[in-house]
Structure formats: structure tokens, C-alpha cells
Amino acid sequence: MGKYSDSGDWADIVPIPLNDGGPNPLAAIAYTEEYSEAMEYLRAVMANNEKSERVLELTEHIISMNPAHYTV
């Protein structure tokens, strides 16, 4: 799956970035760019309470990158 920001399928979603404690967080986690972007889109669809096939595919993608995040 490509970047969500480059996909027309996600053009209607405004990603919500992670707020990990401001400009100088105490213990920021070094997420990959791919994972961070996917999570930004997940936050947005969760805020919109969207339940769709594309959200299911998004959650599958996130789980494939981080199997410990099974609660997504």
C-alpha cells in the first residue's frame, strides 16, 4: 500500500498528527514515516467514526507493521 497522502482514495481525510508532548518530548518514540502516516489517518477516521472497507484495510496495514498493536 502506498502513502495515504498520495492516494486519491484518502483525499477527503485530513490526517491528525501525534501529539507526543510538544516540540521537546521527554521520550519520543522513533516511528517509521510509513507507520506515523498510517496512524495519522487512523486517528482521523476514528475521530469521524468512519467504518468502511478502506478503514479495515488501513487497520490491517497498521497491524502488519506492528503486530503488537492488535487493539487497533
Side-chain angles (χ1 to χ4, degrees), residues 22-47:
N24 299 308
L26 181 60
I29 298 173
Y31 296 112
T32 66
E33 185 177 322
E34 180 183 15
Y35 185 79
S36 293
E37 182 187 40
M39 288 301 300
E40 290 175 2
Y41 279 82
L42 180 67
R43 284 186 211 92
V45 296
M46 290 177 70

